[in-house]
Amino acid sequence: MNGKQLLMMLLAIFILQITNAKAQIKLNGSDKILGVFWSPKKDAKIEIYKKGAFYYGKSIWVASPGKDSENPIGALQKRDILGIELLTNFKFNNGEYSGGRIYDPESGKTYDCKMSLIENKLQVRGFVGISLFGRTEIFERVATK
């Protein structure tokens, strides 16, 4: 192998490593949402986790344990609020988590939803149809020791 071939091979390896590093940075950026957040009323802790390419959230602590009595599906009214998957099927795209749904156990209703993370605050917007007709709640990340 001559000097020119060696230089070309080293350049190719360098380019591949830069591409891999950029892909890793992008992946880590979308996963910043992972962790535990307080509900807006601080009466529950919601863990955000990832399954495949989608993000979900479930209750891992509630101040007042109870049943999902407002659920419109009778068979689900006997399940515990603790452990319910409240946020489902969010996909990260251009700094926003969208395409998902949020379940409100207080009303038993499910809404379309999008989320965005700004520092340690998760802005969660539930809506019907289009985002204009909705409400935004702020979930704060639980401080870690």
Side-chain angles (χ1 to χ4, degrees):
M1 180 180 291
N2 66 32
K4 189 174 183 179
Q5 288 174 324
L6 180 61
L7 183 61
M8 292 301 285
M9 188 172 73
L10 290 174
L11 182 60
I13 291 170
F14 179 71
I15 291 171
L16 285 173
Q17 288 191 351
I18 288 175
T19 304
N20 186 35
K22 284 185 176 182
Q24 190 65 32
I25 289 169
K26 185 174 182 180
L27 173 66
N28 291 340
S30 65
D31 286 351
K32 286 182 181 178
I33 194 174
L34 301 177
V36 179
F37 293 82
W38 283 108
S39 66
K41 296 178 185 175
K42 295 213 181 332
D43 58 355
K45 290 181 183 177
I46 312 301
E47 179 182 19
I48 306 290
Y49 56 96
K50 191 174 184 180
K51 288 193 277 185
F54 295 92
Y55 296 87
Y56 296 80
K58 68 179 177 181
S59 59
I60 61 167
W61 177 85
V62 292
S64 301
K67 301 294 180 188
D68 191 16
S69 58
E70 298 301 316
N71 197 303
I73 301 169
L76 297 179
Q77 293 176 352
K78 295 180 182 176
R79 71 180 176 170
D80 291 326
I81 295 289
L82 182 62
I84 289 179
E85 207 166 62
L86 303 169
L87 301 164
T88 56
N89 297 321
F90 288 85
K91 185 86 172 172
F92 183 75
N93 189 21
N94 292 326
E96 184 175 80
Y97 303 84
S98 59
R101 311 263 295 159
I102 185 168
Y103 173 68
D104 176 10
E106 290 182 6
S107 68
K109 296 183 180 184
T110 301
Y111 302 95
D112 294 325
C113 188
K114 65 180 183 176
M115 304 184 295
S116 58
L117 183 65
I118 301 172
E119 295 180 8
N120 284 326
K121 296 184 182 199
L122 183 62
Q123 294 183 356
V124 179
R125 183 157 185 84
F127 55 92
V128 176
I130 60 173
S131 178
L132 179 64
F133 302 113
R135 183 176 81 212
T136 300
E137 297 281 352
I138 305 297
F139 290 60
E140 291 187 47
R141 190 179 297 273
V142 172
T144 56
K145 295 180 183 176

